[in-house]
Amino acid sequence: MKSKENPMSDNENRSISGVYLTANDSLSNHACDCSETEPTNHLYELAELRRHVVQLQQENESLRQQLDQHKITNQSNSIDCNHLLQMVIDYVPQAIFWKDCDSVYLGCNRQFAEKAGLQHPREIVGKTDHDLPWTPQEAKLYQELDRQVMSSKSPQIKLRGTRHLVTGAEILVETTKIPLYNHQGNIVGLLGILDDIGDRLQQEELLKQRLAAIEAGTDGIALQTSQGVFTYVNRAYLEMFGYSKTEDILGKTWQELYDEDEIEYIRREVSPVFAAENEWQGELRSRRQDGSFFIQEMSLTKSAAGVVCICRDVTDRKQAEATLMLYKQAVESSSDAIAMADAQWNHFYQNPAFSEMFGCETPEEFNQVFGGISGAYTDPQIPAQIFAEISQGKNWVGEVEHRAKNNRVFQVLLRASAIKDGLGNILGAVASLTDITARKKAEANLREITSDLQEAQELAHIGNWELDLETGEITWSDEVFRILGLDQTLGMPSVDECLQCYHPEDRPLIEKALAETRNNGTACQVEARILRDDNSVSYVHVKFKAILNHDNQIVSLFGTIMDITERKRAEIHLQQQTEKLEKALVKLKRTQTQLIQSEKMSGLGQMVAGVAHEINNPVGFIVGNVSHLEEYTQDLLLLIESYRQYYTEPPLAITELIEEIDLNFLITDIPQLINSIQNGARRIQEIVNSLQSFSRLNESEIKEIDIHQGIDSTLMVLKSRLRPLPGEREIMVIKNYGDLPKIECYAGQINQVFLHIFNNAIDALKNPEFQEYSKQPTLTITTGLHKNKLAFIRIADNGVGIPEELRSRIFDPFFTTKPVGQGTGLGLSVSYQIVVDLHKGKLNCTSEMGMGSEFCIQIPIHNHDNT
């Protein structure tokens, strides 16, 4: 009361009303705490409590105003209790009393009277605390507190203590005692306000527990105004959004926690539902303080206190669900059969592969057909063993035999593991089954094939090997030990030890092939020698091949090794025999060639000699008589001339005959005719001499000859071939004779060489392909003497040349490029033998396509065999 008549100060008035304001502030500080369970109801209760406190404040304020309006009279040092008690009864829910300076009750309200066990508030007048149902200790304490208030003139605010009711019950109360003054400022008593706080403290404790639960909860809880402004967030909500203090988020709006796309989604999808139904549940993509995003599962509810938001971070759960979905898809699509059973071994899950394997579509059908898991085993002892292992938390892996619905028996590789909870308790079992029936058959076939392969390798002396490039380990079949001469009981050797088995000269070949295959993946094969401990040598054929992985990287080398000792020895023996046969064949061919050519040249020589002899006789007769004919003719012509001098006028018949025979012409032509006969006879004699010189039948031994004469005589024999046929061009012969001494040789054999080379040159120059060229066909013969006393004769033509692939074979017996019937292939072979073997000389050929060919004959001037 602010008037001077009111002894109560402003501070005291504020103290009376501030008790509840302090309590309200205390509640407000905790009003944002929510429990993890039923947070909406707790917040609602908190709102109701706050509303009740506000109402009490309003009532107290109304009481204070009325007290200010009613002044207390001091005529009998007492208070107008009737009017005041009426106001308390009407407005104040707490128990209120007032006493005089002796702690005698002057009045109370109905709430206090009920606690004191009185029927009506007026029954309290004149009583003390000892007259009421308090204990003596309580009554003494209350009167002591009264004296302290009145002596100190200071109010006591919210003193907590216990009071015993008339029923014997003990309650917890909160008491406020305020001194009362009269108009003179003297203390005339005190006013007491008693508040039963047992239920309130219990509610406050419960509320604290619930708020603590809300703060300790993992779900984020927030309270917003209808405008979306945050008024409370719990610790989980702060941490979820990356904040450390409540001040960082209180006062902000929800829009600051989401990006534009999510805000648009909330306005479009969430807000209409929330406005219509006062609640919404769903998922949102939220943004943390650091800018990162997470998936938020949220529940929104309208309440009297505002909008309650309960949310949790489900990012990990979503990822786990996605991973779990992948696992589920993997299990469902697995080619292995997968099944699960509970702790009592009841089969409750199977994937499609399991359904297909056993012919049962569902676990219920499987249990119905087989009567449980054990019924699918052909051996009933196996499932008991598996269950015993799984019950101890162990894994079980092994091969078992199962039976399908159609009684098909098949083999599987079974892997079984226990399913455990977080405490390690066994909840059931999961099993993976791989049908290995085909594999077991393949393994049996492989064992049989391997056995056959080993036997075949032993028979064929072939072994296989493989080198792992990552580990450097080498493995091979048993036959390799026998081939390399190694002791199988000593285990698998290293690569270096293996290389030491090869002959030192062949080891680089093996190392090179190994490196080539390892580095480039090139397949290689090598023949090498194996050097055994007893120094015996065997031969092997080794193959190298690279093995690639799916990335085309070389991971290992595979190969075979074959013992080819017997074959190699047979090949060596065969090669030796072949060389002997080849030598014999060459010798036979040469002998045959010599015989054929000798016979041919012998016949030719005999024919030429015979022809020359037959021609030589008549030619000698002609030559011997031509001189006599010339002499006789001169005599007859002299006689005729004498007749003409003495018989100038012969008879008519003679005159006519002279004119008829043209005597004057005969007289001048007969000497010329005889001269021509003489020249022809001499020419015939020269030809006969050339034929005799060419044949040299009378010169079978070595003697000194004029090489140029041999060349000329050979050209004389080939003169007819040098003449052009119709449509051909004449072959020009150029002789570049050097200064050669007489050569010791077999004249007839050397002439054969000239004949064969001239013939080949003439054939080249008469080749139709060459005849089309514009250049003049030319045969050039050059002779000379080397410093090493070797005479050389070069016979060159400007024909088409000899191809390189044929040049190395032109001296082989019976090799010819001429059509059948036009060449025997013996000419150059015989020429080579005559020059090289017989005369210890040299015969070679140089040729360039389109430029012609040149044969060079080199023979010693002196034949050492003769000397």
Side-chain angles (χ1 to χ4, degrees):
M1 303 175 198
K2 296 182 179 180
S3 64
K4 292 182 179 180
E5 291 79 5
N6 188 353
M8 298 179 64
S9 66
D10 292 340
N11 292 334
E12 291 170 346
N13 289 331
R14 285 192 294 271
S15 298
I16 295 174
S17 60
V19 170
Y20 297 100
L21 291 176
T22 303
N24 182 42
D25 291 342
S26 175
L27 291 174
S28 299
N29 290 336
H30 297 282
C32 295
D33 295 339
C34 301
S35 67
E36 184 175 0
T37 57
E38 302 179 357
T40 304
N41 294 334
H42 299 161
L43 293 175
Y44 180 76
E45 293 173 0
L46 179 63
E48 289 294 319
L49 180 60
R50 294 183 65 180
R51 185 180 61 79
H52 178 70
V53 171
V54 171
Q55 181 181 358
L56 184 60
Q57 290 175 339
Q58 294 174 350
E59 293 175 352
N60 286 338
E61 180 64 20
S62 175
L63 177 62
R64 187 184 65 80
Q65 292 175 358
Q66 292 186 35
L67 288 175
D68 289 340
Q69 294 174 2
H70 294 81
K71 298 180 179 179
I72 302 175
T73 61
N74 57 356
Q75 295 177 357
S76 59
N77 294 328
S78 63
I79 303 174
D80 187 1
C81 296
N82 292 330
H83 186 68
L84 180 60
L85 181 60
Q86 184 63 43
M87 288 187 297
V88 172
I89 292 173
D90 292 338
Y91 297 104
V92 180
Q94 287 83 7
I96 298 177
F97 64 90
W98 52 95
K99 298 179 181 180
D100 61 13
C101 293
D102 296 325
S103 295
V104 176
Y105 284 97
L106 299 179
C108 69
N109 65 352
R110 186 176 300 278
Q111 287 82 351
F112 189 84
E114 290 177 355
K115 288 179 171 54
L118 303 175
Q119 296 295 325
H120 194 275
R122 61 177 172 267
E123 295 179 9
I124 196 71
V125 178
K127 294 184 181 293
T128 66
D129 289 308
H130 292 283
D131 298 326
L132 298 179
W134 328 134
T135 63
Q137 293 80 3
E138 290 175 343
K140 185 178 180 181
L141 176 62
Y142 298 155
Q143 290 182 353
E144 178 63 26
L145 293 175
D146 292 344
R147 286 191 293 272
Q148 291 178 4
V149 170
M150 287 183 285
S151 62
S152 64
K153 299 182 181 181
S154 298
Q156 292 181 345
I157 307 301
K158 288 189 175 182
L159 296 178
R160 289 189 179 183
T162 58
R163 286 183 185 262
H164 284 79
L165 304 180
V166 68
T167 59
E170 184 182 62
I171 63 173
L172 181 64
V173 297
E174 193 173 68
T175 306
T176 297
K177 293 183 178 181
I178 304 172
L180 299 176
Y181 298 85
N182 59 13
H183 291 287
Q184 289 74 29
N186 298 322
I187 294 177
V188 295
L190 60 84
L191 175 67
I193 303 173
L194 187 68
D195 193 1
D196 186 351
I197 62 173
D199 292 340
R200 194 189 78 190
L201 288 179
Q202 185 176 3
Q203 291 295 327
E204 287 180 357
E205 184 63 27
L206 180 60
L207 181 60
K208 288 180 180 179
Q209 293 175 359
R210 291 178 177 178
L211 291 176
I214 291 175
E215 281 296 317
T218 57
D219 284 350
I221 299 177
L223 188 64
Q224 303 173 14
T225 65
S226 58
Q227 289 76 31
V229 178
F230 287 98
T231 58
Y232 166 77
V233 291
N234 69 344
R235 175 191 55 79
Y237 197 92
L238 285 174
E239 293 177 353
M240 188 180 301
F241 283 88
Y243 293 94
S244 58
K245 297 181 296 183
T246 56
E247 292 80 3
D248 295 334
I249 197 169
L250 293 181
K252 293 183 178 180
T253 62
W254 61 268
Q255 289 92 337
E256 298 179 55
L257 303 181
Y258 302 92
D259 60 5
E260 292 298 329
D261 293 340
E262 205 68 9
I263 292 174
E264 178 61 27
Y265 170 77
I266 294 172
R267 290 172 176 168
R268 185 181 67 254
E269 303 292 339
V270 179
S271 297
V273 176
F274 184 73
E277 302 179 6
N278 292 334
E279 63 181 17
W280 178 86
Q281 291 182 349
E283 294 178 357
L284 296 176
R285 185 171 180 266
S286 306
R287 184 177 65 246
R288 295 188 180 92
Q289 187 182 22
D290 59 6
S292 61
F293 291 91
F294 65 98
I295 301 175
Q296 181 186 34
E297 186 178 71
M298 179 182 292
S299 173
L300 296 176
T301 306
K302 276 186 181 180
S303 69
V307 179
V308 179
C309 171
I310 303 175
C311 59
R312 64 181 57 179
D313 185 349
V314 295
T315 305
D316 294 340
R317 191 190 76 189
K318 285 294 182 180
Q319 293 176 349
E321 288 177 354
T323 303
L324 183 62
M325 181 60 66
L326 292 176
Y327 288 157
K328 181 179 179 182
Q329 293 176 355
V331 170
E332 291 293 320
S333 61
S334 173
S335 58
D336 285 348
I338 298 176
M340 287 188 283
D342 59 20
Q344 289 72 41
W345 310 112
N346 297 315
H347 174 69
F348 68 87
Y349 172 79
Q350 62 189 44
N351 69 344
F354 187 94
S355 302
E356 183 179 358
M357 180 179 289
F358 287 91
C360 298
E361 294 296 329
T362 62
E364 292 75 19
E365 183 183 0
F366 178 87
N367 291 326
Q368 182 179 2
V369 172
F370 296 102
I373 297 175
S374 301
Y377 292 85
T378 58
D379 185 353
Q381 297 181 354
I382 297 296
Q385 298 175 5
I386 298 175
F387 296 159
E389 292 289 323
I390 298 300
S391 298
Q392 297 178 13
K394 300 178 181 179
N395 298 331
W396 193 93
V397 179
E399 296 180 0
V400 299
E401 197 172 65
H402 278 300
R403 180 182 293 105
K405 181 179 178 181
N406 59 2
N407 290 323
R408 179 181 71 90
V409 176
F410 56 95
Q411 292 176 304
V412 300
L413 175 62
L414 177 65
R415 307 175 189 86
S417 303
I419 302 174
K420 302 178 183 179
D421 61 13
L423 300 177
N425 300 317
I426 297 177
L427 304 178
V430 59
S432 172
L433 299 86
T434 304
D435 191 339
I436 60 173
T437 306
R439 194 194 76 187
K440 298 297 285 186
K441 291 181 180 179
E443 288 177 353
N445 293 334
L446 180 60
R447 286 192 295 269
E448 183 178 354
I449 292 172
T450 302
S451 177
D452 293 342
L453 178 60
Q454 290 180 349
E455 184 177 353
Q457 287 184 347
E458 292 178 7
L459 293 175
H461 300 294
I462 298 177
N464 61 278
W465 57 269
E466 185 171 1
L467 172 62
D468 191 320
L469 297 181
E470 182 177 357
T471 63
E473 295 182 356
I474 186 171
T475 56
W476 58 39
S477 61
D478 296 342
E479 186 63 19
V480 180
F481 285 99
R482 290 188 287 272
I483 293 175
L484 297 181
L486 298 176
D487 188 354
Q488 189 171 354
T489 60
L490 298 178
M492 201 68 64
S494 65
V495 176
D496 292 336
E497 292 173 341
C498 177
L499 291 174
Q500 295 302 317
C501 297
Y502 290 90
H503 194 285
E505 295 178 359
D506 297 342
R507 201 172 298 152
L509 297 176
I510 298 295
E511 293 174 344
K512 180 181 178 181
L514 188 64
E516 184 83 11
T517 306
R518 174 184 294 177
N519 298 331
N520 304 326
T522 306
C524 300
Q525 52 184 346
V526 179
E527 287 188 2
R529 291 169 290 177
I530 299 296
L531 187 61
R532 299 180 181 273
D533 293 337
D534 58 359
N535 291 326
S536 62
V537 176
S538 60
Y539 295 86
V540 293
H541 184 272
V542 187
K543 289 185 177 181
F544 301 85
K545 178 182 179 181
I547 304 299
L548 308 179
N549 60 10
H550 60 280
D551 294 327
N552 288 329
Q553 296 176 335
I554 301 175
V555 294
S556 63
L557 303 182
F558 178 82
T560 59
I561 180 171
M562 179 180 183
D563 188 345
I564 59 172
T565 304
E566 294 182 3
R567 191 194 78 187
K568 200 67 178 178
R569 289 173 180 171
E571 287 179 355
I572 293 174
H573 179 71
L574 180 61
Q575 185 177 0
Q576 294 173 349
Q577 293 298 109
T578 301
E579 290 177 356
K580 290 180 181 180
L581 290 174
E582 287 178 349
K583 291 179 180 179
L585 180 60
V586 170
K587 186 176 181 180
L588 178 61
K589 285 184 176 181
R590 289 180 178 178
T591 303
Q592 184 181 12
T593 302
Q594 291 175 354
L595 290 174
I596 294 173
Q597 191 65 18
S598 297
E599 185 67 24
K600 175 182 176 183
M601 295 308 297
S602 176
L604 179 60
Q606 290 177 2
M607 182 188 70
V608 170
V611 171
H613 177 72
E614 292 299 326
I615 295 175
N616 195 39
N617 288 334
V619 168
F621 174 76
I622 294 172
V623 172
N625 290 299
V626 165
S627 59
H628 299 294
L629 177 61
E630 183 180 9
E631 182 181 351
Y632 298 156
T633 302
Q634 291 296 332
D635 291 343
L636 290 174
L637 291 177
L638 181 59
L639 177 62
I640 293 172
E641 184 61 31
S642 297
Y643 270 104
R644 293 183 68 179
Q645 289 178 0
Y646 292 104
Y647 296 98
T648 55
E649 292 181 6
L652 179 61
I654 293 175
T655 302
E656 290 177 356
L657 180 60
I658 290 173
E659 291 178 358
E660 183 178 351
I661 64 175
D662 195 359
L663 181 61
N664 292 330
F665 172 76
L666 292 177
I667 292 172
T668 58
D669 189 54
I670 286 175
Q672 295 178 3
L673 181 61
I674 293 173
N675 187 48
S676 296
I677 292 173
Q678 288 177 335
N679 290 335
R682 283 194 298 268
R683 180 61 179 161
I684 292 173
Q685 283 182 324
E686 290 176 359
I687 292 173
V688 170
N689 291 334
S690 296
L691 290 175
Q692 288 176 342
S693 176
F694 173 77
S695 63
R696 297 288 183 177
L697 294 179
N698 57 345
E699 297 177 4
S700 58
E701 298 297 329
I702 290 178
K703 63 177 295 185
E704 291 183 347
I705 66 167
D706 184 355
I707 288 293
H708 296 156
Q709 184 182 358
I711 294 173
D712 292 339
S713 64
T714 304
L715 290 174
M716 178 64 71
V717 173
L718 296 174
K719 194 170 183 67
S720 61
R721 292 209 65 202
L722 293 171
R723 295 193 187 99
L725 296 176
E728 293 180 348
R729 286 179 292 173
E730 183 178 0
I731 297 174
M732 180 185 298
V733 179
I734 299 175
K735 298 177 182 179
N736 297 321
Y737 289 167
D739 186 10
L740 279 180
K742 289 189 176 182
I743 309 298
E744 290 183 355
C745 64
Y746 296 93
Q749 302 286 359
I750 289 297
N751 288 343
Q752 287 186 50
V753 174
F754 295 153
L755 178 66
H756 293 315
I757 294 177
F758 287 152
N759 265 322
N760 286 336
I762 293 170
D763 289 338
L765 294 173
K766 289 198 172 189
N767 189 328
E769 182 180 350
F770 173 75
Q771 288 289 325
E772 296 178 359
Y773 292 170
S774 60
K775 59 184 178 180
Q776 174 69 39
T778 304
L779 179 63
T780 303
I781 305 167
T782 304
T783 62
L785 186 64
H786 287 304
K787 294 180 180 180
N788 56 2
K789 302 300 183 181
L790 284 177
F792 65 84
I793 304 97
R794 293 193 181 98
I795 304 171
D797 65 74
N798 62 344
V800 295
I802 303 173
E804 183 178 357
E805 62 271 14
L806 302 180
R807 205 174 304 150
S808 60
R809 301 180 59 192
I810 59 176
F811 296 116
D812 293 346
F814 304 105
F815 175 77
T816 181
T817 59
K818 297 177 181 178
V820 178
Q822 296 185 15
T824 61
L826 296 174
L828 292 179
S829 174
V830 170
S831 299
Y832 188 86
Q833 294 178 34
I834 292 173
V835 174
V836 178
D837 296 339
L838 190 59
H839 290 86
K840 309 303 179 186
K842 297 179 181 179
L843 176 60
N844 54 59
C845 173
T846 58
S847 181
E848 184 176 353
M849 294 301 296
M851 301 299 293
S853 304
E854 179 183 272
F855 285 85
C856 182
I857 304 168
Q858 299 182 56
I859 56 176
I861 297 175
H862 302 288
N863 191 292
H864 297 286
D865 292 341
N866 188 37
T867 57

